[in-house]
Amino acid sequence: MKDINRIGLTWISFLSYAFTGALVVVTGMIMGNISDYFHLSVSQMSNTFTFLNAGILISIFINSWLIEIISLKKQLLFGFILTIIAIIGIVFCNSIFLFSINMFILGLVSGITMSIGTFIITHLYSGSKRGSQLLLTDSFFSMSGMIFPIITAYLLEKKFFWYWTYVCIGAIYLLIFLLTINLNFLKLKTDIKNIKEVKEKWNCNVFLLSIAALLYILGQLGFISWIPQYATEIMSVDIKKTGSLVSSFWMSYMIGMWFFSFIIKFFNLYRMFICLTSISTILMYFFIHSANFLNQQYIIVSLGFFSSAIYTIIITLASLQTKKPSPKLINFILLFGTIGTLLTFIVTGPIVEKKGLYITLISSNILYAIVFFLSILIYFNQKYRIFK
C-alpha cells in the first residue's frame, strides 16, 4: 500500500510539470491567433503573457510559507477549482483584461503545483535516486512541449478556436485532482513539521546556481518561444512545419531526460553540468547561423537532447548543498527559474520589436554561454571553496 501511495505521489509530481510545461510551451504556437482575436500586435500580446509568468513567480515565492500553513492536499484540490474557473473565463472572455486575469490565475495554480511536485520528489527520494527522479519529473514538462504543439497545430489547422488548447491542458489537472483525492499525504506533512525545527545554512553555490537557473530558463524560453515566428517569417516555413520544429526540440528534450536519468549516477554532476552547457551553447550557435531548414531540424533535436538535463542538474546540485533540503531552498531555485520565465517576453519582446528575431536568438545564445561560465565557477568553488 505504501509503494502504491508513493507511486501515486510521484505521478502527481510528473503531471505538475506536464501542466506547467503545456501552459508555457503553447504560448509561441497560439500567440498570433490570440493577437488577431484581440486585435493586438504580436509584441503587445507577448507582454500579456507576462501575467501567466507573474502568476507562476508569485505562487512559487509565497509557497515557501504557504506549504507550512495549508496542507499539500488542500492546495492541490483548491488548484483544481481555480483551473476550472480560469479555463471557463478564457473560453468566454471578450476582453484582453479578463484574459490577462485568467492567465494570471493559471500561473498561480501551475506555480504552486510545480513547487509541490518538486518538494514531493526531494522528500520521497534521496541521493542519486533524487537526481534521477527529478529528471524523469522534468521530462514531463518536455513531454507536454512535444505533445501540445502537435495538438495545437491540429486544432488550428481544423479551424478550432485557439482556446480549445487550454481546455485540453485542463485535462492534465483533472488527473492530478483524481490522484489527490485518493492518496495519503501524511508522510510529507510530517516532513514539513520536522524541517521547520531545523536551521539550514546556504553556501555561495546556492546563489550561483540560482543565477544559472534564471539565465538558463530565460535563454531557453527566449529561444524556443520565438522559433515559430522565426521559422515562418525568416525561413518562410508553414505553421505545420513550425509545430514539428518545436515538437522535435521538446521530444528530444524528453528523450534526453530519460537517457540522463539512467546515467546520471555514474558521473560527477558538476562536470556533467559543464559538459552539457558547453555543448548546448555551441549547438544553439549553429542553429541560428544555419540557412537550411533540414539542418536546423537536426541541430534542434541535438540541442533538445543535450540541454535536457541542465535545469534539473541545477535543482539537484542545489538540493545537495544541505543535508535535508527545505521547501524554502527548493523554492528559491524554482523562484529564480521562474523569474527567467517571467522575464522571457519582458526582455525578448522589445528586442524583437527594435532589433528583430535574429538578434533575439543571438541574445539567448549569449545567456547559454554565461551559464557555461557559471558552471565552471560552481565546479571550482565546490572543489576548492573559493567563496566560503
Side-chain angles (χ1 to χ4, degrees), residues 67 70-76 116 119-120 185 188 192:
I67 204 169
I70 304 173
S71 70
L72 301 182
K73 193 165 191 173
K74 287 179 180 177
Q75 287 187 52
L76 292 171
I116 290 171
F119 177 78
I120 288 172
F185 287 74
L188 295 170
I192 292 169

Side-chain angles (χ1 to χ4, degrees), residues 17 118 122 134 138 209 310-320 330 333-334:
Y17 271 70
T118 309
T122 55
L134 279 172
D138 208 3
L209 286 162
I310 293 174
Y311 187 56
T312 309
I313 286 176
I314 291 173
I315 296 173
T316 306
L317 288 175
S319 73
L320 294 174
I330 299 302
I333 303 298
L334 289 176

Side-chain angles (χ1 to χ4, degrees), residues 112-126:
I112 288 174
T113 309
M114 187 173 69
S115 175
I116 290 171
T118 309
F119 177 78
I120 288 172
I121 292 296
T122 55
H123 282 266
L124 288 182
Y125 304 93
S126 60

Side-chain angles (χ1 to χ4, degrees), residues 226-243 245 290-294 296 357:
W226 291 105
I227 284 296
Q229 295 292 322
Y230 179 81
T232 52
E233 293 181 20
I234 307 298
M235 302 295 293
S236 301
V237 178
D238 62 51
I239 187 67
K240 196 169 183 179
K241 285 186 177 180
T242 300
L245 194 65
S290 174
N292 184 283
F293 181 72
L294 184 61
Q296 285 184 325
L357 292 164

Side-chain angles (χ1 to χ4, degrees), residues 2-47:
K2 286 183 179 179
D3 288 339
I4 293 173
N5 196 73
R6 191 185 198 190
I7 292 168
L9 290 170
T10 303
W11 269 98
I12 287 178
S13 300
F14 292 165
L15 293 171
S16 71
Y17 271 70
F19 182 72
T20 304
L23 287 173
V24 173
V25 169
V26 298
T27 300
M29 291 292 298
I30 59 177
M31 192 183 298
N33 299 81
I34 302 176
S35 60
D36 291 340
Y37 185 84
F38 289 110
H39 308 292
L40 296 170
S41 67
V42 173
S43 59
Q44 287 175 311
M45 196 65 232
S46 68
N47 293 328

Side-chain angles (χ1 to χ4, degrees), residues 26-320:
V26 298
T27 300
M29 291 292 298
I30 59 177
M31 192 183 298
N33 299 81
I34 302 176
S35 60
D36 291 340
Y37 185 84
F38 289 110
H39 308 292
L40 296 170
S41 67
V42 173
S43 59
Q44 287 175 311
M45 196 65 232
S46 68
N47 293 328
T48 304
F49 278 100
T50 302
F51 285 91
L52 171 69
N53 300 331
I56 297 173
L57 175 67
I58 291 170
S59 61
I60 288 177
F61 180 74
I62 65 173
N63 196 246
S64 298
W65 291 271
L66 193 66
I67 204 169
E68 297 176 0
I69 302 168
I70 304 173
S71 70
L72 301 182
K73 193 165 191 173
K74 287 179 180 177
Q75 287 187 52
L76 292 171
L77 294 176
F78 190 59
F80 177 65
I81 295 169
L82 287 177
T83 300
I84 293 173
I85 292 170
I87 292 174
I88 291 173
I90 288 171
V91 172
F92 292 102
C93 74
N94 53 13
S95 73
I96 193 64
F97 176 72
L98 292 174
F99 176 80
S100 300
I101 290 175
N102 290 311
M103 292 307 294
F104 179 74
I105 293 171
L106 284 177
L108 285 175
V109 173
S110 66
I112 288 174
T113 309
M114 187 173 69
S115 175
I116 290 171
T118 309
F119 177 78
I120 288 172
I121 292 296
T122 55
H123 282 266
L124 288 182
Y125 304 93
S126 60
S128 60
K129 186 72 173 175
R130 180 189 298 166
S132 177
Q133 286 296 324
L134 279 172
L135 274 169
L136 285 175
T137 303
D138 208 3
S139 74
F140 277 77
F141 187 105
S142 313
M143 192 181 295
S144 286
M146 177 189 72
I147 294 171
F148 277 91
I150 295 172
I151 293 173
T152 302
Y154 175 82
L155 292 173
L156 295 177
E157 191 179 23
K158 297 298 180 181
K159 307 301 180 184
F160 280 87
F161 279 109
W162 53 268
Y163 53 67
W164 279 102
T165 299
Y166 290 103
V167 176
C168 294
I169 293 171
I172 298 175
Y173 215 100
L174 175 61
L175 294 175
I176 293 174
F177 169 76
L178 294 173
L179 284 170
T180 302
I181 60 176
N182 289 290
L183 293 172
N184 184 354
F185 287 74
L186 189 60
K187 182 187 180 300
L188 295 170
K189 191 175 181 180
T190 305
D191 284 348
I192 292 169
K193 285 182 180 179
N194 293 337
I195 288 167
K196 286 169 69 176
E197 299 172 1
V198 179
K199 291 183 179 179
E200 61 180 357
K201 293 182 180 180
W202 296 0
N203 59 36
C204 184
N205 269 355
V206 171
F207 300 98
L208 292 174
L209 286 162
S210 64
I211 294 169
L214 188 156
L215 297 180
Y216 170 72
I217 294 297
L218 178 58
Q220 182 196 71
L221 294 182
F223 174 78
I224 205 66
S225 294
W226 291 105
I227 284 296
Q229 295 292 322
Y230 179 81
T232 52
E233 293 181 20
I234 307 298
M235 302 295 293
S236 301
V237 178
D238 62 51
I239 187 67
K240 196 169 183 179
K241 285 186 177 180
T242 300
S244 69
L245 194 65
V246 176
S247 293
S248 295
F249 174 84
W250 291 114
M251 180 185 68
S252 62
Y253 199 93
M254 178 186 65
I255 293 171
M257 283 182 165
W258 291 346
F259 173 76
F260 288 113
S261 70
F262 288 107
I263 71 163
I264 194 171
K265 55 187 175 184
F266 301 111
F267 293 91
N268 180 290
L269 281 178
Y270 293 94
R271 291 176 182 172
M272 185 179 284
F273 187 25
I274 294 171
C275 179
L276 294 180
T277 51
S278 62
I279 294 172
S280 298
T281 302
I282 294 168
L283 286 170
M284 186 179 286
Y285 176 86
F286 282 118
F287 177 91
I288 296 167
H289 293 86
S290 174
N292 184 283
F293 181 72
L294 184 61
N295 288 340
Q296 285 184 325
Q297 283 186 309
Y298 291 131
I299 295 169
I300 206 166
V301 166
S302 301
L303 176 60
F305 181 84
F306 285 104
S307 65
S308 62
I310 293 174
Y311 187 56
T312 309
I313 286 176
I314 291 173
I315 296 173
T316 306
L317 288 175
S319 73
L320 294 174

